[in-house]
Amino acid sequence: MYGVGILKGMAVTFRHFVDTYLDDIHWLSRGGRYYNDDALQVRQGLNGRGVKTVFYPEEKLPVPERFRFVPFLVTEEPPAGQQWGHDWCTSCGICAKVCPPQCIWIERGKKPNGRPKPEPEKFFIDIDICMNCGLCAEFCPFDAIKMDHDYELASYDRTTAHIHDKERLSKPISYWREIAPQKAEAEAAARDFAKAAKKKPRGKRGEETAQDQAERIAEAKARQLIYRGALY
Ligand code: SF4
Ligand code: SF4
């Protein structure tokens, strides 16, 4: 019979409409539906009732670890009483070279004697040009630039506000560990391996020292993490 399909479809829509209000009542005693992370997860799951819509910006879906947005610069934790920690960036310029749209500018620091200092004096990224490809983070030999998860960067000013300077870009390593724990762990393991390999003591020819063995294990662990897909 003509029209039955339409009526069935409308009945489904109507059921979701009513379920939405019933679900609202259900979550009222638990902090309300709009501002409750638990409620959001349940609603987005298979047992969710009513509307599945995410009410942005009050609600936000968590982004996966590999999510990439505009890069940031990694620093040490700031010492007590200071705003910025030591830069991991050595201003080698590799990220600026590999950046496809060329949106990174770096000015290397100088020592009092005029010789170059292995840290950036200035570092800029034009976020309107950045295409979030992640190549800068992939190529950085010092793990000093990472892809951020902060995607709420819109503003009414399309000029200077969209050119992020070093202060705006710098974030401590603890932030990276928080947003990408698996990757941060894998990178730390790889760094430890590289550090241990540099200090390699010479044993007798053909002999494997205890340190060689420890390094092999550390390398295996790092590779395991990499292969598990924790890195790129
Ligand atoms: S962020 Fe990395 S690749 Fe870019 S200049 Fe600094 S150390 Fe070099
Ligand atoms: S994410 Fe890509 S486009 Fe953006 S700064 Fe890095 S290399 Fe350049």
Side-chain angles (χ1 to χ4, degrees), residues 73 89-95 106 123 140-142 144-145:
L73 291 173
C89 173
T90 61
S91 71
C92 68
I94 291 176
C95 55
I106 306 167
F123 199 115
C140 175
F142 301 98
I145 189 164

Side-chain angles (χ1 to χ4, degrees), residues 114-215:
R115 292 177 72 85
K117 195 161 65 163
E119 54 189 71
E121 184 72 38
K122 294 178 183 164
F123 199 115
F124 299 100
I125 296 181
D126 187 331
I127 66 159
D128 283 342
I129 297 177
C130 174
M131 55 187 193
N132 315 320
C133 65
L135 283 181
C136 51
E138 220 167 302
F139 277 85
C140 175
F142 301 98
D143 286 340
I145 189 164
K146 297 287 161 209
M147 300 309 288
D148 209 343
H149 287 185
D150 182 11
Y151 51 84
E152 294 174 314
L153 300 177
S155 79
Y156 288 105
D157 178 6
R158 289 179 59 201
T159 55
T160 49
H162 288 197
I163 296 181
H164 287 190
D165 61 10
K166 193 179 149 201
E167 282 68 34
R168 175 85 196 260
L169 291 168
S170 296
K171 294 185 179 177
I173 181 65
S174 54
Y175 174 75
W176 177 236
R177 289 191 193 118
E178 195 181 306
I179 64 169
Q182 268 199 303
K183 275 183 92 170
E185 190 196 344
E187 287 164 0
R191 277 196 303 275
D192 286 348
F193 166 68
K195 216 187 277 174
K198 266 189 195 167
K199 287 186 196 157
K200 199 169 180 179
R202 297 278 158 236
K204 280 185 198 154
R205 189 176 298 202
E207 234 182 59
E208 190 186 48
T209 63
Q211 173 129 6
D212 286 341
Q213 203 180 19
E215 281 169 19

Side-chain angles (χ1 to χ4, degrees), residues 71-82:
F72 70 94
L73 291 173
V74 177
T75 71
E76 292 292 347
E77 294 302 318
Q82 288 187 29

